[in-house]
Amino acid sequence: MITLVIYLNVLIFVLLSALHFYWAFGGKWALACSVPELTNKKPLFNPDIFGTLFIAFGLLIFAFITYFQLDIFSILIGEYIDYATVCIALIFFIRAIGDFRYIGLFKKIKGTPFAINDSKIYIPLCLYLSLSSCLIVIL
């Protein structure tokens, strides 16, 4: 069962990484709803290629870390991979909680396209990745 969770998390991380690579190299699909907005519909920030590539590579590294949780690698890397997976869980838990203004469970700005997607897609996904990463380490 935990093997299925590992493969699912790896798939999610790879797909999210691919989406960020797509955006970094000029893709526009779903980009408008992926950046927090101020109340006047202006983006909070304009992501540049370097920041987007940083996130893309980071997500790819998360995929590898999660993949290395499979039993076939445990002899080689031991408990260090558990620490990295706990860090992944914390990162996504903090993202789900948010900054108390524009992103996360306790955001104040709620009517923008990003805020709607954040509540329906991004927060549940972050909570899933956080919880499942914890379960991978525990089980």
Side-chain angles (χ1 to χ4, degrees):
M1 179 64 178
I2 201 68
T3 303
L4 180 65
V5 174
I6 290 171
Y7 282 123
L8 181 59
N9 282 14
V10 169
L11 177 65
I12 290 169
F13 286 134
V14 168
L15 290 175
L16 289 174
S17 176
L19 182 61
H20 281 80
F21 279 115
Y22 167 76
W23 287 335
F25 294 110
K28 300 293 182 202
W29 178 79
L31 184 61
C33 298
S34 65
V35 177
E37 299 169 328
L38 302 169
T39 52
N40 61 1
K41 305 285 187 201
K42 285 185 64 177
L44 186 61
F45 60 91
N46 291 317
D48 62 354
I49 188 170
F50 299 111
T52 308
L53 285 174
F54 178 80
I55 298 299
F57 280 114
L59 289 164
L60 205 53
I61 290 169
F62 289 174
F64 281 111
I65 290 169
T66 305
Y67 184 72
F68 288 144
Q69 282 288 347
L70 291 171
D71 288 336
I72 57 176
F73 298 107
S74 62
I75 296 170
L76 300 172
I77 48 183
E79 65 187 35
Y80 297 109
I81 204 71
D82 287 344
Y83 296 135
T85 306
V86 168
C87 288
I88 292 170
L90 287 173
I91 288 168
F92 281 99
F93 182 73
I94 290 168
R95 166 55 183 90
I97 298 299
D99 68 349
F100 299 97
R101 294 179 68 198
Y102 302 105
I103 64 170
L105 286 167
F106 304 106
K107 64 183 164 288
K108 291 185 177 118
I109 297 176
K110 298 184 181 197
T112 65
F114 171 83
I116 293 167
N117 279 351
D118 192 40
S119 296
K120 289 182 180 178
I121 301 168
Y122 310 145
I123 294 170
L125 181 61
C126 288
L127 288 173
Y128 164 77
L129 289 169
S130 179
L131 178 63
S132 61
S133 294
C134 285
L135 288 175
I136 289 168
V137 172
I138 292 169
L139 301 176

